[in-house]
Amino acid sequence: MKIRPSLPLFPLLALTSLAAAQPLQSRFWSDARLLPSQSRTEADLLQQKGLACPLPGTAARSDAAQQALTQLQAAVASLPQGDPGRAALQKTLDLMRRNTPTAAPSTPAASTPLTLAQALKNARTWLSVHDAAGVRAFALSTDSQSAAAADGAAMQASLLGRPDAALAALLAAHDLTPKNADTLVNLGGVLGALGLPQEALAVLQAALALKPSPSGALGISQRAVALNNQGYALLQLGRWADADRVLAQAQTLEPALSEASSNRARALLCQGNTQAAAAAFRRGSRRTSPASMPGKTGTPTASTDLPLSQPGQQPPDQTQRPPSFTFDLSHGTQTTLPVLRIPSTPGETAALADSYQALYLDLSNRALKLQRQQEAVEQQLKARSETVPAVDERRDALWWAMLSVDAQPNIAALKTQMEHSQKEPDRLWTDFWHCEGGCTIDVISRRAKTKEEFSGLCVPALQAAHNAWRGAMHNAEIDLGAYLKATYATETALAANYSDPLWHDRASLQAEIGATVLTAGYAHDAEVWARDIAQSPNCVAESDRKPSTTEQVAGPLELPRAPLCKQLFDGFSASVSLSVVGFSVSCDTFSVKVSNPGWIGAFAKLSLKTETPNWKSTVTIGVAEGASLPGTGIGLGASQGMYLTVDRQGNLLDLGMVADAGASASGKFGPIKIGKSVGGWSGKWSFIASEN
């Protein structure tokens, strides 16, 4: 997502009220994020250390990196959309942007810390140098006339990717309410994002002295936000140990403040603690802390990562949290394994060999047809030009969850039991018909001297083996049915998280292919046993010999699809409409709309050359007390919220929502519209800067 390609868009947005804490439900997209293993993360960070931790006097190296970025960006732009080479170059460009070193700060390092007055003066000077016209436009606007209006204008400027415009508005808000600590916290965050770390530190020190609000959006302490912004500014100055200290405090104060962990990863890496840096990096990649939001009793928790391995890959290279923790699994559909008719006598079973074969071929052809449909869908998906990283990542995470259903503990246990049960019919078949040298049929053949003697030995032996095989097939049917039911319900539930028809079709087909192949294999086991009996008539009593038939041996395999995810039943959906910017999120989709930006547009032509190229930021917005769910009369209580994470290039990286458990009859959040219909903005917001 890019609201304005020429300027950085950087907010993580949360919608919330700040009343007393209530039981909460949440859904954070980043919680479903696949993470590299600890060892792989350590290796990756070591490769990036030279860029992430520049030594004094390496500004020229940073300039060279910036020049390389510019050249690579031009190369990407020169290639047409859809060109495979463009996609590969874009990935390289994104990686370079994340790893470009920090150059010397724009403000010379002071021998003594700046005072608040000096920091504010420097910030105003910076604005007058970079965009005096924008400052004048703001001064003439009604937003400059009151602290509340200026504060709201700063929030919207932040959402539009105009930190310089936000700076102008925040300076005005501070002038009108100089004792407002939260305004200073936001101002410090914006200064850090603009590459003014010395000024940011002075402002944040003043904010902490005034004691910021104890609780902000998503229940995150504003003091923790201030400490995080301090740590971010210290990182820009290369003060790794100082940054580590304050970021550790922020982490301890607010485990849900994942930005503090992201920032601390760099501080730890640059102090030589790669192992701790990798752990902090992995922790900061997801919103929910394993310690802060445990699951319900008996369900997986945030700390229960599942290994994701490619075939033949050991150890696992990636991990993912259980889908029951990260996705809505309440809309799956049910299927049952068709009961396969297996007669009690070998002769009756042999007569059904062609019927078993017909069933097996029908299911195999059905699976092949489904696979071809899925391949066609995948070709359509490949032809798309996706533009919203967070949406792409969530859809990919859903797909990985589909492919890794067997890694879930409950399903893994069912699969183990199924595989154990399936071995017994195969063993009995092999031992009687197809082993080398010691099979029952071979032993009988060697012992029997006549046809009559052969039949006298084989008929009772086969009947005994058939009884055992039939019992083994019954056990296998029970265990296969349990596994099939669980996997199909989970896979279709995951498919129901897709609102995009193609992705939903792909996931639904994956579930249908798996169920069909499993059922076909079961029919094949019956066919090979029956076929061997049919080819050995002397092992069947004359009274039991039956003519071949093609009658139906099982009912149809019903594979109902789950519906597309829709706002109607998606528990976490919202739309926000402010005077300048609006957006909505539901299921796996996100959309944004920008109105006439007014005076903020006066800053539009500014080309920011900040010294912090790989950053993202946090903006939080509160819902006015007394707001309610439209059409329900249900009030919005404490910590109702939504957030967006966006980097400076305007790419949406993450989003999520928090709600009181009692927000609706079903305990879910949304659909919520923030605006005049529900009481509007509460006047509370915050800005949190972090490493990307």
Side-chain angles (χ1 to χ4, degrees):
M1 177 203 71
K2 290 203 176 194
I3 291 181
R4 188 172 187 83
S6 62
L7 283 173
L9 175 67
F10 46 84
L12 169 103
L13 171 68
L15 309 176
T16 181
S17 64
L18 302 177
Q22 300 289 330
L24 300 178
Q25 292 190 358
S26 63
R27 181 181 298 169
F28 305 144
W29 281 19
S30 60
D31 282 349
R33 181 171 289 154
L34 277 64
L35 292 184
S37 64
Q38 172 74 16
S39 59
R40 178 180 158 190
T41 304
E42 290 178 25
D44 290 345
L45 289 177
L46 280 174
Q47 288 183 342
Q48 300 168 18
K49 186 174 181 179
L51 293 174
C53 312
L55 298 172
T58 57
R61 183 177 179 185
S62 179
D63 291 341
Q66 293 290 354
Q67 183 178 3
L69 275 174
T70 301
Q71 293 173 347
L72 186 57
Q73 188 170 359
V76 171
S78 68
L79 295 174
Q81 291 285 351
D83 188 318
R86 179 180 179 125
L89 281 179
Q90 184 63 52
K91 289 183 178 180
T92 302
L93 177 60
D94 292 341
L95 181 62
M96 286 186 65
R97 280 171 171 163
R98 289 195 296 271
N99 299 330
T100 300
T102 301
S106 61
T107 304
S111 56
T112 58
L114 297 175
T115 65
L116 176 60
Q118 290 171 327
L120 296 175
K121 180 180 178 181
N122 290 351
R124 291 188 175 92
T125 300
W126 188 95
L127 273 176
S128 65
V129 170
H130 285 79
D131 204 322
V135 175
R136 289 193 297 271
F138 171 71
L140 294 173
S141 71
T142 57
D143 287 334
S144 68
Q145 302 305 307
S146 72
D151 202 43
M155 178 266 294
Q156 295 203 68
S158 298
L159 292 175
L160 289 171
R162 315 271 174 80
D164 46 350
L167 176 60
L170 284 168
L171 287 170
H174 171 70
D175 288 342
L176 293 165
T177 54
K179 298 299 183 181
N180 188 318
D182 293 347
T183 297
L184 290 174
V185 171
N186 294 338
L187 180 57
V190 169
L191 287 168
L194 289 169
L196 299 168
Q198 297 282 7
E199 288 75 11
L201 290 175
V203 167
L204 291 165
Q205 189 61 41
L208 289 168
L210 290 172
K211 296 183 179 180
S213 300
S215 180
L218 307 179
I220 294 174
S221 160
Q222 287 293 85
R223 175 176 171 80
V225 172
L227 291 170
N228 173 81
N229 289 348
Q230 266 191 333
Y232 182 72
L234 290 166
L235 288 176
Q236 294 180 53
L237 297 171
R239 294 168 56 182
W240 316 125
D242 291 337
D244 185 16
R245 175 178 53 80
V246 297
L247 290 167
Q249 293 177 34
Q251 274 186 297
T252 301
L253 191 59
E254 283 296 350
L257 189 61
S258 57
E259 291 79 9
S261 295
S262 296
N263 288 333
R264 196 178 179 206
R266 184 181 175 196
L268 290 164
L269 177 66
C270 296
Q271 293 179 91
N273 194 342
T274 306
Q275 184 178 13
F281 175 86
R282 297 181 84 250
R283 164 64 193 89
S285 297
R286 293 169 174 164
R287 171 60 52 188
T288 303
S289 164
S292 65
M293 296 194 70
K296 297 178 182 178
T297 302
T299 64
T301 68
S303 59
T304 315
D305 261 32
L306 302 178
L308 303 178
S309 295
Q310 297 285 1
Q313 180 190 75
Q314 293 293 334
D317 198 45
Q318 297 183 102
T319 63
Q320 186 180 39
R321 283 176 174 166
S324 58
F325 185 83
T326 54
F327 300 111
D328 181 1
L329 299 185
S330 63
H331 299 287
T333 57
Q334 299 291 327
T335 190
T336 56
L337 181 71
V339 176
L340 191 63
R341 184 161 72 89
I342 300 178
S344 59
T345 69
E348 291 176 321
T349 302
L352 296 177
D354 289 343
S355 298
Y356 293 138
Q357 182 184 47
L359 176 61
Y360 167 68
L361 292 176
D362 178 67
L363 290 168
S364 297
N365 289 330
R366 180 177 173 182
L368 182 61
K369 182 179 179 181
L370 292 170
Q371 288 172 340
R372 288 172 177 166
Q373 291 176 10
Q374 189 183 58
E375 290 169 0
V377 170
E378 289 173 345
Q379 288 300 317
Q380 294 181 66
L381 287 171
K382 287 179 181 179
R384 281 184 172 181
S385 178
E386 304 289 2
T387 58
V388 184
V391 172
D392 297 345
E393 184 181 47
R394 183 161 184 83
R395 289 172 178 171
D396 286 340
L398 270 167
W399 182 245
W400 266 104
M402 289 282 300
L403 298 180
S404 307
V405 163
D406 287 346
Q408 297 180 54
N410 62 318
I411 294 180
L414 291 173
K415 183 180 181 183
T416 298
Q417 182 61 37
M418 175 196 69
E419 291 174 339
H420 175 76
S421 298
Q422 287 179 330
K423 291 178 181 178
E424 187 61 10
D426 184 67
R427 183 191 68 78
L428 291 166
W429 174 72
T430 301
D431 288 352
F432 195 92
W433 300 106
H434 291 286
C435 64
E436 295 184 5
C439 300
T440 302
I441 193 70
D442 289 342
V443 172
I444 292 173
S445 296
R446 286 195 298 269
R447 289 179 59 188
K449 305 301 182 183
T450 64
K451 178 179 177 181
E452 290 73 17
E453 187 178 359
F454 177 88
S455 292
L457 294 171
C458 193
V459 168
L462 177 58
Q463 183 63 63
H466 182 74
N467 290 341
W469 176 85
R470 188 166 178 257
M473 285 290 283
H474 176 69
N475 292 335
E477 177 184 279
I478 292 174
D479 293 335
L480 173 60
Y483 172 75
L484 176 63
K485 182 178 181 179
T487 54
Y488 193 77
T490 302
E491 288 172 344
T492 53
L494 288 167
N497 284 260
Y498 285 117
S499 64
D500 181 275
L502 283 180
W503 277 99
H504 178 268
D505 199 22
R506 185 193 192 197
S508 300
L509 287 166
Q510 183 72 14
E512 292 161 11
I513 291 168
T516 306
V517 169
L518 281 172
T519 308
Y522 181 57
H524 183 64
D525 288 344
E527 180 205 347
V528 296
W529 178 263
R531 187 68 64 194
D532 279 333
I533 297 174
Q535 292 173 354
S536 303
N538 292 328
C539 289
V540 179
E542 289 189 13
S543 60
D544 187 32
R545 295 173 187 174
K546 310 293 181 185
S548 177
T549 180
T550 57
E551 63 185 75
Q552 184 174 325
V553 291
L557 175 63
E558 302 288 349
L559 299 175
R561 283 195 175 186
L564 282 164
C565 182
K566 295 180 180 179
Q567 196 177 51
L568 177 65
F569 63 75
D570 179 48
F572 290 80
S573 56
S575 62
V576 177
S577 180
L578 302 168
S579 60
V580 174
V581 62
F583 54 83
S584 62
V585 57
S586 181
C587 302
D588 60 339
T589 60
F590 175 82
S591 61
V592 63
K593 181 179 180 181
V594 180
S595 304
N596 182 358
W599 67 266
I600 300 175
F603 290 83
K605 296 181 180 180
L606 177 63
S607 178
L608 295 175
K609 297 181 180 179
T610 73
E611 288 71 31
T612 54
N614 58 333
W615 53 266
K616 59 187 178 185
S617 303
T618 299
V619 176
T620 64
I621 305 176
V623 177
E625 294 295 337
S628 62
L629 298 177
T632 68
I634 299 172
L636 299 182
S639 297
Q640 304 284 348
M642 172 183 170
Y643 74 84
L644 307 174
T645 304
V646 190
D647 67 16
R648 70 170 305 205
Q649 282 79 39
N651 299 307
L652 178 69
L653 304 178
D654 185 24
L655 58 85
M657 281 163 271
V658 172
D660 292 348
S664 70
S666 62
K668 293 185 177 180
F669 176 76
I672 288 177
K673 294 183 178 180
I674 308 303
K676 293 181 179 179
S677 63
V678 293
W681 175 45
S682 69
K684 293 184 178 292
W685 71 287
S686 63
F687 187 108
I688 309 172
S690 66
E691 292 280 308
N692 184 20

